[in-house]
Amino acid sequence: MSTPETSRFVRLRVELVLEVDDADAVTTAALRRIADDSTVPVDERVHAESAVTEDTAEALAYLVDPFDLVSEVPGVELVQASWSSERIEYDPDSPDWDLDEDDGEEDFDGEGAVRVG
């Protein structure tokens, strides 16, 4: 499927819901990663330490790196990535959280990309 009209770029969307059982462990790991990263300037380091200490979601965002998800996939190069985290109310029995509702169906996402559920 390599025609001149076919783009080589693929947008991969991943949504994760994580349950944090030990916020202190998450915060400690994020602080350790910040301390180990010698490329972070001092003023950014202070800001990052403050953010991960105050909010577990920020600590998770600092620990989860999209590059890690695809770095060992052969034949691809991560061109651009963005990610964020937020605290949410989660009810696994709610139909709003049914991630399998579109399995096997294709539709357009409004941006011209085909979504395969």
Side-chain angles (χ1 to χ4, degrees), residues 89-99 101:
E89 295 298 321
Y90 177 68
D91 176 5
D93 298 324
S94 169
D96 293 338
W97 292 98
D98 186 6
L99 298 178
E101 68 185 15

Side-chain angles (χ1 to χ4, degrees), residues 14-46:
V14 177
E15 183 170 335
L16 304 170
V17 176
L18 304 173
E19 181 177 1
V20 177
D21 291 328
D22 188 346
D24 289 337
V26 174
T27 300
T28 300
L31 289 170
R32 187 174 304 119
R33 177 161 297 173
I34 293 166
D36 291 345
D37 189 350
S38 61
T39 65
V40 177
V42 174
D43 57 334
E44 288 181 32
R45 182 182 310 271
V46 170

Side-chain angles (χ1 to χ4, degrees), residues 53-75:
T53 301
E54 294 173 15
D55 187 357
T56 306
E58 286 291 329
L60 279 168
Y62 200 89
L63 290 168
V64 176
D65 184 348
F67 177 77
D68 292 341
L69 297 173
V70 298
S71 64
E72 299 204 17
V73 175

